[in-house]
Amino acid sequence: QVQLVESGGGLVQAGGSLRLSCAASGRTFGAYAMGWFRQAPGKERELVAGINWSGSLPHYGASVKGRFTISRDNARNTVYLQMNSLKPEDTAVYYCAASTLTYYSTQRDMAYWGKGTLVTVSS
């Protein structure tokens, strides 16, 4: 069983920054791809960013490219999401997820999910 615990969400003004963290436990963290997803009220869950097992290949959703950065520290079993230049449309619950694969592929490959952390961006 894999446990994922997100932290770092909160309220921020437009243009501001936040860093989300996801602490993982329960299996060999460094062997699998990880991802951040988000879901806004009334919308489907969407990819924010994914990263392969080593951290060398990040992948971003179109709406956050150039503003968000995903990274991981395998020694600390933690994946991060640095969010800059935040916009009101970034408001959502952000979820961390762990893949069954070594490279990020699709949301369907994510086998484990955290409970989410709320990010609210005010205008």
Side-chain angles (χ1 to χ4, degrees):
Q1 189 73 330
V2 176
Q3 293 80 41
L4 302 172
V5 179
E6 303 97 336
S7 61
L11 174 64
V12 63
Q13 287 190 331
S17 298
L18 280 176
R19 188 174 84 152
L20 305 183
S21 300
C22 172
S25 62
R27 69 171 185 180
T28 305
F29 175 78
Y32 300 94
M34 299 290 294
W36 285 98
F37 298 81
R38 68 185 182 187
Q39 187 166 22
K43 295 188 176 181
E44 292 187 354
R45 188 168 60 194
E46 64 172 355
L47 168 71
V48 177
I51 194 165
N52 68 320
W53 67 277
S54 68
S56 62
L57 289 174
H59 173 78
Y60 297 97
S63 61
V64 306
K65 196 173 293 185
R67 299 187 297 123
F68 291 11
T69 302
I70 188 171
S71 62
R72 65 189 296 163
D73 184 340
N74 288 346
R76 297 179 181 270
N77 287 2
T78 302
V79 62
Y80 304 97
L81 184 69
Q82 178 66 43
M83 305 186 295
N84 298 329
S85 302
L86 282 160
K87 305 175 181 180
E89 50 264 43
D90 294 318
T91 295
V93 177
Y94 284 70
Y95 297 93
C96 174
S99 177
T100 58
L101 306 175
T102 55
Y103 288 84
Y104 175 78
S105 179
T106 70
Q107 188 173 159
R108 289 178 293 181
D109 295 317
M110 297 299 177
Y112 305 98
W113 294 82
K115 294 183 178 180
T117 185
L118 177 63
V119 171
T120 303
V121 184
S122 64
S123 57

